[in-house]
Amino acid sequence: MRIKQSAILLIMIVFGLGSCTENDAVDTQYPEISMDFAEAFPSQCALVKRGEDFIFRARFSDNFQLGSFSLDIHHNFDHHTHSTEVNDCDMMPTKTPVNPFLLIESHAIPAGKTTYEAELSISVPEDIDPGDYHFLVKLTDHEGWQSLKGISLQIQ
């Protein structure tokens, strides 16, 4: 039985190696998230208002093919950090959440795209706790490489 399993494994390896050529490209690069253009939003330390909508805008790129992006907005009332930005924001005092805003969404990017401009309306409920929040953008390419952009914002 062991010989049969070894033979099957050897055949799989040989066929697997035989299907690769020197011209086959391998994706070893992380996709890129750009939020440094004029229409991008939110930016580090942005202010948004309860009961209003805002438009999330970012540009995504990859050397082969994009896959999907996800957004995560959660409270930062305890002043933990995920920020990928170098400048800090003025923060409110720490507090215990009562009714914090939480948004976690995932969005597919159309197949075959190497660049994509995301534009998505986000509604901020009126009855949520105001304060410091994190806005995380996670971008995954078709091969599974991921990039993360974390910014701080304040909901008033």
Side-chain angles (χ1 to χ4, degrees), residues 1 28 52 68 99 103 113 121 138-139 154:
M1 188 65 150
T28 58
E52 294 185 6
S68 64
N99 187 29
L103 178 131
K113 299 276 187 185
S121 180
K138 182 169 46 170
L139 176 62
Q154 203 169 78

Side-chain angles (χ1 to χ4, degrees), residues 11-130:
I11 290 169
M12 290 173 60
I13 290 172
V14 169
F15 280 109
L17 291 175
S19 66
C20 295
T21 66
E22 288 182 30
N23 294 331
D24 285 346
V26 177
D27 185 0
T28 58
Q29 293 183 11
Y30 293 101
E32 295 183 13
I33 301 168
S34 174
M35 295 179 72
D36 59 357
F37 57 100
E39 299 82 19
F41 193 83
S43 58
Q44 178 73 347
C45 306
L47 300 175
V48 296
K49 296 188 185 237
R50 293 183 294 169
E52 294 185 6
D53 297 351
F54 68 89
I55 304 295
F56 162 70
R57 285 190 185 95
R59 288 184 183 141
F60 304 139
S61 61
D62 187 63
N63 60 324
F64 279 87
Q65 181 176 308
L66 293 164
S68 64
F69 69 96
S70 62
L71 303 178
D72 175 337
I73 303 173
H74 62 271
H75 78 82
N76 185 22
F77 300 162
D78 60 358
H79 295 177
H80 67 276
T81 186
H82 306 282
S83 182
T84 58
E85 298 299 301
V86 292
N87 60 320
D88 291 327
C89 304
D90 292 333
M91 299 188 69
M92 300 173 121
T94 60
K95 66 180 182 179
T96 303
V98 176
N99 187 29
F101 183 39
L102 178 64
L103 178 131
I104 300 173
E105 295 182 348
S106 210
H107 300 273
I109 295 172
K113 299 276 187 185
T114 57
T115 61
Y116 182 76
E117 190 159 323
E119 186 171 308
L120 186 66
S121 180
I122 297 175
S123 297
V124 181
E126 191 167 327
D127 63 346
I128 56 111
D129 296 338

